[in-house]
Structure formats: C-alpha cells, structure tokens
Amino acid sequence: MSAASVEQPFDHEEPVTLTTIADEIMERHPGYRVEIIGGHLLVTPSPDAPHARALTKLMRPFIAAGLDDGETEVLQNVGLWLPTGTEDYAIPDLVVVDADIDDHFVENNAYDPACFRLVLEVTSGNWKDDLKTKVAAYAEAKVPVYVIVDRKHQRLHVLTDPAGNGYENHRPHAPGEIATLPDSIGAKVTLDVAEILKAGQAKKVG
C-alpha cells in the first residue's frame, strides 16, 4: 500500500502529539491507515483489489494449517505496539497471533508484540517502507517471522531470527518456488510464491 511521511498538517495553537494528528487524519479520511514508526507518520490510502486478493489467497494456507483455531489466530490489520518510540505502532496486513491477544492490549488499538508470531505485508507504493523501515521496526519488536510479498520486484521474502534492528536470516523466494515458514508460528505452512504474486497483479481485461 502506498504511504507517505507526513509533517504536522493541522494548525494548532500548541504542539500536539503524533497520535492526535493520526486520529485527525483517519477522521478526515475514512479508510486510510495511519502508522507511527520511528516518530514519523505513514499514511496509507485504501488498498487496491489485487492487494486485497493477495491477502485472501494468503490467509487460506494459514487457516488450513489450523492456525486460526486453538492457541493462535490469523487476523488482518491489527495494531502492533512498537518499542521504537513512545507513540510508535504499526498495522501489518496479516498476522498470526496468540489466541489471548485481547489480554495484551497496550493502547491506541495496538497490542504487545510479544503475542505476535508472524507479521506479513503486501507491498504497493510503499515497498521501500516494507523492505527497510518495517524490517527494522519489527526486528526491534522481536517479531519472530516477517513475510513480505513484494509485488514490485515479484519476490516473497521470509525474514527470521530478529537481532537488533534487523533479521539474521533473510530468504527471498522467486516465482516457481515454495516458501516454507518456520514451525515456530505453530504449524507447518508453505506458500506458493507464483500463486500469491499472481493474485497480487491486476487482472487483464479482454
């Protein structure tokens, strides 16, 4: 999804928090996603149909593996509290979380990263944020597995073993490959890279 850093766009007599600005943007632009990462606002318009189609395709193997029952849940657009700043949070496209996530609410509709087993992003115009900014943020939050569906470069990235502001293991997968995710997410899950990337492309008409 496309994103842009936003400086304080509203006139106030006194300085306001980034959270207040984020709330104002979402109120004025329903459907937009606003995240705060590293003290910067990222504003994301509503996703296009291929982005949503890729997410639907992605949810199926996780659900089929039983990850949406019992100890875990498979969810979309859930806030993840980040340790990178006092107001920082991200909203991944797809997550695998512990089933008791409701007990880990922090604030501002965001939850403790300790209950996230996997986060996944499907890129659009913000592919640089997904491939760089969010890699550092999710690693610092110690999210064990980060998956990126890179529609621009036609790759699926699997990052594991967070250390500092990066991941020790980064495996890019090309179309034709099958990506096997770590058992640490709670079940065996494999992703057909070509199928997912195809779902993320606009359908040709005629």
Side-chain angles (χ1 to χ4, degrees):
M1 295 179 290
S2 60
S5 294
V6 176
E7 300 300 328
Q8 296 194 6
F10 303 110
D11 294 325
H12 293 274
E13 293 182 1
E14 297 179 4
V16 297
T17 66
L18 288 173
T19 301
T20 300
I21 297 172
D23 290 342
E24 289 192 26
I25 292 172
M26 288 186 287
E27 183 177 342
R28 295 184 184 198
H29 302 280
Y32 275 56
R33 178 185 303 181
V34 183
E35 302 167 288
I36 304 174
I37 301 178
H40 296 280
L41 285 168
L42 297 179
V43 182
T44 307
S46 298
D48 58 14
H51 183 281
R53 193 176 296 123
L55 277 178
T56 298
K57 186 76 69 176
L58 279 158
M59 288 193 74
R60 292 171 183 164
F62 289 101
I63 293 172
L67 287 170
D68 200 42
D69 298 294
E71 295 183 355
T72 56
E73 290 183 282
V74 182
L75 306 172
Q76 293 188 25
N77 303 324
V78 174
L80 186 160
W81 194 257
L82 296 170
T84 51
T86 56
E87 297 180 87
D88 283 11
Y89 67 92
I91 307 174
D93 289 320
L94 183 71
V95 299
V96 176
V97 295
D98 294 341
D100 65 350
I101 184 172
D102 298 272
D103 297 332
H104 297 276
F105 179 81
V106 180
E107 61 180 277
N108 200 29
N109 290 329
Y111 297 82
D112 190 323
C115 63
F116 288 74
R117 300 189 183 194
L118 172 146
V119 297
L120 184 149
E121 301 280 8
V122 176
T123 68
S124 286
N126 70 328
W127 58 270
K128 290 182 180 179
D129 290 319
D130 290 334
L131 291 170
K132 185 175 180 181
T133 305
K134 289 190 175 181
V135 169
Y138 292 148
E140 289 188 45
K142 294 182 170 50
V143 176
V145 183
Y146 177 28
V147 177
I148 309 165
V149 179
D150 182 357
R151 296 194 292 165
K152 179 176 177 64
H153 303 102
Q154 291 293 286
R155 291 289 184 271
L156 186 147
H157 301 265
V158 179
L159 292 79
T160 59
D161 302 314
N165 62 353
Y167 284 84
E168 291 187 351
N169 295 305
H170 177 183
R171 171 73 194 277
H173 296 270
E177 294 184 309
I178 300 294
T180 301
L181 302 183
D183 292 345
S184 62
I185 64 175
K188 279 207 172 292
V189 174
T190 58
L191 303 176
D192 185 321
V193 177
E195 180 183 44
I196 292 166
L197 290 172
K198 181 180 178 182
Q201 300 300 306
K203 293 182 177 180
K204 293 182 180 180
V205 179

